[in-house]
């Protein structure tokens, strides 16, 4: 266990680091963050015994490090300093081997098999074996970083102190180095203390973080608490947005770039002139990407998209990989798949219904295509919905010219779904199997997209103007579209009958 007890210190009597107090447990990965000049390196130098303390103590397992000889300390603590431009003309292997110094008794003690095995193993782990006979001077900053990390690891310390270890490393090596350190921490109980500038990497790898500000500890806690928008904004004087990582329970911070021009952020256009409707597809192309939450065939989930395509497919459309087929279709028709949300429907697109609804400082455009072939009661108890599904689906598009919160996106979906159930009730649409009231169809899709410009719209529940417009608008457009669908079907059935 490493104890940093009320430590203060600096250079030439000046106090740079002030009253820092924390404990790092065996096997813990502890990160030190802070703006340039906040005292991180000075603190690390004091923890490694390189810089004398003005006040306080640094202890390893209750022993003050000032009571240890250099060699005793080197067996316990290894340091990877910031990369120095000055390197000596040794080979890579010689440089790494210097890390074994603490384990040799006499100055001229011979090199043992154990030393060789450890050096070879660590060089393999840090991926430097293949250039072990080259001079260190021939290597790039990133390669030198790995060489000096290997030197620290062959020292087999209990505690590893690293000053910006991922500097100079490309993306893959940053991940590899941090994976390696975390594995050693978990499996071998190596205690890792690392100064990191990348707050997102710190979030992914560190168990706890110390955030320094002007030589003092601004926070010591788990990454979720330290990486709060307010704290980071306060310490770095920079606006960040905190979001969860999409795959694991770790926070990530997004920077907000400054405006490109004064015009950026002005209200953007969102009206029917952006829509083009043909029997083959309905397309909305916006001038700027919109933040979209959708259940489309392509572009589903959360993302920023500028093309929205509702494609007509034949009633007998059957494809083993409909996502891939849809991507091919979009590409073939000139849409960049990465910028497009794509949906499918077998209903006649002429029967769509759409309109722009004006709110106070914002607008909403709603576009609906509706078919009832798979009408279903979602509360059906006995028989699950099973294929083959007949073509016929409700695709609902809601475009908001305004700035929505995540909460508003979710509420918009709730409001739209409630409106859908009401339309189906009023249109007497029944579940095709149970003949009870239908609440939707088994293949419905929805998208809510917002320009994220203009008026801030925090909520979209029915108590708000936005919610009211969505509820009313979805009801009206969907009802219109269903009535057109029903009329066409009656005409078709009548013709087939005759
Ligand atoms: N050898 C030194 N002699 C005198 N002052 C120093 C010395 N090293 C650093 N300082 C000063 O101490 C303060 C803290 O520096 P330190 O290197 O600890 O900050 P840091 O948080 O690691 O910064 P960075 O993120 O830029 O690496 C700075 O104002 C710096 O100028």
């Amino acid at each position: 266990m490493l104890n940093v007890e009320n430590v203060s210190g600096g250079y030439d009597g000046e106090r740079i680091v002030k009253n820092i107090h924390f404990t790092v447990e065996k096997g813990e990965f502890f990160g030190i963050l802070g703006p340039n000049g906040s005292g991180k390196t000075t603190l690390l130098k004091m923890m490694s015994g390189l810089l004398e303390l003005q006040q306080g103590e640094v202890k390893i397992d209750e022993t003050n490090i000032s009571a240890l000889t250099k060699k005793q300390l080197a067996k316990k603590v290894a340091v990877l300093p910031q990369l120095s431009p000055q390197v000596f003309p040794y080979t890579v292997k010689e440089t790494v081997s210097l890390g074994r110094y603490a384990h040799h008794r006499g100055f001229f003690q011979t090199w043992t098999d154990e030393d060789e095995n450890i050096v070879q193993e660590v060089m393999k782990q840090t991926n430097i074996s293949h250039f072990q006979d080259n001079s260190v001077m021939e290597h790039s900053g990133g390669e030198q970083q790995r060489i000096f990390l290997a030197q620290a690891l062959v020292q087999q310390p209990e505690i590893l102190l690293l000053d910006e270890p991922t500097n100079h490393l490309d993306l893959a090596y940053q991940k590899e180095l941090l994976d390696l350190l975390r594995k050693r921490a978990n499996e071998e109980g190596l205690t890792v203390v690392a100064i990191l500038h990348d707050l997102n990497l710190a979030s992914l790898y560190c168990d706890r973080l110390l955030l320094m500000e002007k030589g003092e500890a601004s926070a010591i806690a788990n990454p979720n608490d330290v990486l709060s928008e307010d704290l980071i904004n306060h310490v770095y004087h920079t606006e960040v947005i905190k979001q969860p990582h999409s795959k694991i329970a770790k926070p990530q911070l997004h920077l907000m770039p400054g405006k490109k021009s004064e015009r950026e952020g002005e209200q953007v256009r969102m009206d029917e002139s952006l829509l083009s409707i043909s029997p083959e597809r309905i397309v909305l192309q916006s001038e700027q990407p919109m933040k979209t939450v959708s259940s489309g065939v392509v572009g589903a989930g959360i993302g920023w998209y500028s093309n929205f395509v509702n494609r007509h497919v034949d009633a007998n459309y059957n494809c083993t990989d409909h996502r891939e087929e849809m991507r091919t279709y979009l590409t073939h028709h000139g849409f960049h798949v990465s910028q497009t949300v794509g949906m499918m429907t077998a209903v006649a697109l002429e029967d769509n219904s759409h309109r722009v609804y004006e709110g106070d400082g914002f607008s909403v455009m709603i576009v609906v295509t509706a078919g009832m072939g798979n009408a279903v009661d979602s509360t059906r108890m006995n028989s699950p919905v099973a294929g083959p599904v007949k073509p016929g689906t409700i695709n609902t598009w809601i475009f908001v010219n305004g700035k929505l919160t995540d909460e508003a996106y979710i509420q918009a979906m709730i409001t739209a779904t409630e409106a859908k159930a009401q339309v189906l009730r009023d249109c007497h649409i029944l579940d095709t199997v149970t003949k009870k009231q239908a609440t939707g169809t088994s293949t419905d899709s929805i998208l809510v997209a917002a320009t994220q410009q203009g008026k801030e719209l925090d909520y979209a529940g029915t108590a708000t103007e936005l919610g009211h417009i969505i509820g009313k608008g979805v009801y009206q457009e969907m009802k219109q579209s269903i009535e057109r669908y029903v009329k066409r079907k009656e005409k078709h059935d009548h013709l087939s009958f005759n």
Side-chain angles (χ1 to χ4, degrees):
M1 190 163 73
L2 174 69
N3 285 308
V4 175
E5 294 180 359
N6 220 16
V7 156
S8 299
Y11 311 91
D12 308 322
E14 195 191 348
R15 195 171 267 220
I16 302 280
V17 167
K18 298 155 199 153
N19 302 316
I20 302 281
H21 193 96
F22 63 89
T23 299
V24 187
E25 299 293 336
K26 181 175 163 60
E28 192 175 358
F29 197 137
F30 189 86
I32 302 178
L33 309 177
N36 290 138
S38 56
K40 303 179 295 295
T41 300
T42 307
L43 174 63
L44 207 76
K45 281 184 188 163
M46 295 195 287
M47 289 166 67
S48 63
L50 267 175
L51 188 66
E52 250 179 64
L53 312 185
Q54 292 169 355
Q55 176 200 296
E57 284 180 304
V58 175
K59 289 184 188 163
I60 297 171
D61 298 331
E62 297 306 316
T63 308
N64 192 319
I65 59 167
S66 61
L68 299 171
T69 64
K70 265 195 173 168
K71 225 170 187 181
Q72 283 170 331
L73 187 60
K75 273 191 176 173
K76 289 188 179 292
V77 181
V79 184
L80 178 67
Q82 279 187 25
L83 202 60
S84 153
Q86 211 181 0
V87 287
F88 297 100
Y90 294 129
T91 67
V92 169
K93 187 183 167 194
E94 283 164 353
T95 306
V96 174
S97 303
L98 288 175
R100 294 298 300 156
Y101 143 84
H103 295 270
H104 289 174
R105 257 186 244 111
F107 196 74
F108 294 107
Q109 193 196 338
T110 48
W111 190 246
T112 65
D113 286 348
E114 192 194 355
D115 291 324
E116 183 66 24
N117 290 341
I118 291 168
V119 166
Q120 289 302 337
E121 179 58 30
V122 169
M123 285 199 298
K124 214 187 291 168
Q125 287 177 350
T126 46
N127 202 8
I128 58 175
S129 308
H130 55 289
F131 52 65
Q132 58 181 288
D133 297 323
N134 296 358
S135 163
V136 175
M137 294 169 88
E138 291 169 24
H139 287 280
S140 72
E143 288 162 347
Q144 287 183 11
Q145 193 86 321
R146 279 151 49 209
I147 294 164
F148 288 107
L149 173 69
Q151 188 187 64
L153 288 174
V154 299
Q155 209 173 312
Q156 296 189 304
E158 292 168 22
I159 299 166
L160 184 55
L161 306 178
L162 308 110
D163 197 344
E164 300 181 30
T166 53
N167 259 10
H168 306 280
L169 297 185
D170 68 31
L171 197 65
Y173 275 122
Q174 288 183 23
K175 180 185 137 42
E176 238 168 68
L177 178 138
L178 293 169
D179 280 345
L180 174 68
L181 293 176
R182 200 172 53 169
K183 199 159 175 246
R184 289 216 168 200
N186 281 350
E187 292 177 1
E188 295 163 30
L190 176 69
T191 304
V192 180
V193 179
I195 295 175
L196 295 168
H197 270 302
D198 187 325
L199 307 188
N200 290 329
L201 282 180
S203 164
L204 295 181
Y205 285 94
C206 297
D207 298 310
R208 280 187 310 140
L209 298 172
L210 158 65
L211 177 62
M212 292 189 67
E213 184 190 13
K214 297 182 185 140
E216 294 184 44
S218 181
I220 303 176
N222 64 62
N224 200 30
D225 289 339
V226 172
L227 300 175
S228 82
E229 290 179 3
D230 286 347
L231 202 51
I232 297 302
N233 195 337
H234 170 79
V235 172
Y236 287 87
H237 306 291
T238 303
E239 193 189 341
V240 291
I241 308 291
K242 183 175 171 180
Q243 291 271 308
H245 190 287
S246 64
K247 293 276 167 68
I248 54 172
K250 301 278 185 183
Q252 294 286 278
L253 298 177
H254 300 307
L255 275 178
M256 281 300 289
K259 281 187 182 179
K260 267 194 290 190
S261 73
E262 274 315 303
R263 285 199 55 231
E264 194 177 304
E266 282 178 10
Q267 193 92 350
V268 290
R269 196 158 58 99
M270 171 50 62
D271 55 39
E272 282 153 311
S273 67
L274 303 175
L275 262 184
S276 76
I277 299 171
S278 71
E280 211 192 313
R281 57 186 173 265
I282 297 176
V283 177
L284 184 135
Q285 284 187 291
S286 69
E287 290 159 344
Q288 289 181 26
M290 285 194 266
K291 185 174 174 185
T292 308
V293 180
S294 85
S295 59
V297 178
V298 165
I302 303 168
W304 288 80
Y305 299 96
S306 10
N307 306 320
F308 304 89
V309 177
N310 189 6
R311 168 193 171 198
H312 176 78
V313 292
D314 187 78
N316 301 315
Y317 175 85
N318 192 0
C319 181
T320 48
D321 188 348
H322 64 299
R323 286 188 200 286
E324 191 47 45
E325 193 275 334
M326 184 67 158
R327 283 190 204 107
T328 308
Y329 170 88
L330 291 172
T331 307
H332 181 72
H333 289 88
F335 299 101
H336 283 286
V337 172
S338 63
Q339 298 164 11
T340 306
V341 174
M343 294 183 183
M344 290 183 186
T345 181
V347 304
L349 296 181
E350 301 93 294
D351 295 342
N352 83 87
S353 186
H354 63 269
R355 196 185 313 178
V356 175
Y357 293 82
E358 293 296 337
D360 179 13
F362 69 93
S363 62
V364 180
M365 177 154 61
I366 294 170
V367 186
V368 178
T369 57
M372 296 295 118
N374 306 312
V376 69
D377 165 15
S378 64
T379 64
R380 199 197 269 189
M381 297 292 171
N382 302 329
S383 44
V385 181
V389 279
K390 285 178 266 168
T393 193
I394 303 175
N395 288 345
T396 308
W397 288 356
I398 299 165
F399 299 101
V400 181
N401 198 354
K403 217 180 256 179
L404 298 194
T405 59
D406 288 355
E407 198 173 347
Y409 276 91
I410 294 165
Q411 290 170 339
M413 297 245 174
I414 295 174
T415 305
T417 307
E418 287 167 356
K420 178 173 71 173
Q422 186 69 27
V423 179
L424 267 65
R425 188 156 42 231
D426 290 354
C427 291
H428 310 293
I429 305 292
L430 302 182
D431 183 302
T432 49
V433 176
T434 64
K435 303 302 175 203
K436 284 177 76 177
Q437 177 62 55
T439 51
T441 85
S442 55
T443 50
D444 290 349
S445 280
I446 188 166
L447 80 77
V448 179
T451 55
Q452 296 303 88
Q453 307 279 351
K455 186 167 182 176
E456 305 216 351
L457 298 158
D458 292 346
Y459 308 105
T462 44
T464 63
E465 192 193 7
L466 174 60
H468 174 66
I469 288 179
I470 291 174
K472 180 180 73 176
V474 167
Y475 183 88
Q476 287 178 346
E477 302 319 309
M478 201 174 285
K479 192 152 187 280
Q480 181 100 268
S481 186
I482 289 175
E483 283 166 2
R484 288 175 183 160
Y485 166 84
V486 170
K487 206 181 266 179
R488 181 184 294 272
K489 193 163 181 309
E490 282 171 357
K491 201 167 144 196
H492 176 266
D493 290 350
H494 178 70
L495 289 175
S496 336
F497 184 72
N498 289 326

